[in-house]
């Protein structure tokens, strides 16, 4: 009996070691792939000035969608740190909602939504948090650059559970409404969009 327990424990330790080695190999492979992509882009831009100016224009002078690149990387190579896959099911958030409201009205460049008091605001689309702070006429605002290239302003919200440059998933909790209303603004390439197409 004791011998079988020992063998079982030894087998479990061997499985854990194999899994750790697999994750370690995956981690270093992703670092190597990222370094190769970076070096290839660096070499190409060093040789071709027109390509360098195009990249400069796209990244620095227009609204470059880092959220789209992040999504492509995750879909292609997986998580940056392979250890993220070790999170057990019991640790995964169960909040997965769609936005609901009682009434809506035009407000400045977007819409004012009447919601229940202390409403838990879900994220409309996955993306990267690119701004957190005060916006004139809107109050406390969080801007998420979505994977589809649209920037969404969420205003009058207390979002203490996220940080600037976090990647956030669709349907997860953004924060809590400060009262019984929130503001949403949709923007792409400097132009404000009609909210009716997005909520």
């Amino acid at each position: 009996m004791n011998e079988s327990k020992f063998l079982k424990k030894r087998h479990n330790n061997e499985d854990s070691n194999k899994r750790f080695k697999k994750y370690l190999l995956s981690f270093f492979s992703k670092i190597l792939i990222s370094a190769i992509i970076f070096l290839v882009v660096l070499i190409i831009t060093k040789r071709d000035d027109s390509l360098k100016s195009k990249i400069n224009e796209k990244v620095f002078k227009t609204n470059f969608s880092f959220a789209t690149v992040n999504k492509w990387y995750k879909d292609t190579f997986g998580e940056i740190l392979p250890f993220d896959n070790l999170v057990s099911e019991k640790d995964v958030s169960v909040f997965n909602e769609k936005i609901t409201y009682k009434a809506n009205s035009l407000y400045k460049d977007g819409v004012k939504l009447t919601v229940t008091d202390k409403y838990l605001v879900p994220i409309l689309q996955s993306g990267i948090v690119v701004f957190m702070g005060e916006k004139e006429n809107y109050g406390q605002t969080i801007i998420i650059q979505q994977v589809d290239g649209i920037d969404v302003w969420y205003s009058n919200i207390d979002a203490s559970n996220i940080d600037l440059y976090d990647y956030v998933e669709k349907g997860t909790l953004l924060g809590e409404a400060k009262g019984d209303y929130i503001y949403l603004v949709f923007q792409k390439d400097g132009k404000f969009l009609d909210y009716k197409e997005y909520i």
Side-chain angles (χ1 to χ4, degrees), residues 51-92:
L51 183 61
K52 184 177 181 179
S53 63
K54 285 179 188 173
I55 290 172
N56 230 1
E57 178 76 24
K58 184 70 179 164
V59 173
F60 296 111
K61 297 192 177 153
T62 60
N63 190 10
F64 184 76
S65 180
F66 289 101
T68 305
V69 173
N70 188 25
K71 183 178 184 313
W72 170 82
Y73 186 91
K74 280 186 175 182
D75 291 346
T76 307
F77 302 112
E79 293 291 334
I80 293 172
L81 294 174
F83 309 108
D84 292 348
N85 298 332
L86 295 175
V87 175
S88 67
E89 288 297 319
K90 66 179 180 184
D91 295 334
V92 176

Side-chain angles (χ1 to χ4, degrees), residues 10-27:
R10 185 173 157 194
H11 182 68
N12 287 341
N13 285 342
E14 287 174 1
D15 284 347
S16 296
N17 287 339
K18 284 180 185 176
R19 259 185 303 184
F20 180 72
K21 286 177 183 176
K22 179 182 165 192
Y23 287 127
L24 205 56
L25 180 64
S26 173
F27 176 70

Side-chain angles (χ1 to χ4, degrees), residues 14 37 44 48 59 77 85 92 95 136 147 149 172 191:
E14 287 174 1
I37 291 170
I44 290 172
D48 189 354
V59 173
F77 302 112
N85 298 332
V92 176
F95 185 87
E136 189 176 350
V147 293
T172 57
K191 296 176 185 170

Side-chain angles (χ1 to χ4, degrees), residues 114-126:
T114 304
V115 294
T116 57
D117 192 40
K118 306 288 185 186
Y119 175 69
L120 298 178
V121 181
I123 295 165
L124 295 173
Q125 187 63 257
S126 300

Side-chain angles (χ1 to χ4, degrees), residues 88-145:
S88 67
E89 288 297 319
K90 66 179 180 184
D91 295 334
V92 176
S93 171
V94 294
F95 185 87
N96 188 5
E97 301 291 327
K98 292 183 179 172
I99 203 155
T100 56
Y101 53 93
K102 297 175 183 176
N104 64 313
S105 58
L106 285 175
Y107 181 83
K108 304 283 181 192
D109 299 313
V111 62
K112 178 181 180 180
L113 300 178
T114 304
V115 294
T116 57
D117 192 40
K118 306 288 185 186
Y119 175 69
L120 298 178
V121 181
I123 295 165
L124 295 173
Q125 187 63 257
S126 300
I128 293 176
V129 178
V130 294
F131 176 86
M132 292 181 79
E134 290 287 320
K135 284 276 189 188
E136 189 176 350
N137 299 316
Y138 289 99
Q140 183 65 30
T141 301
I142 299 99
I143 300 178
I144 296 177
Q145 183 186 73

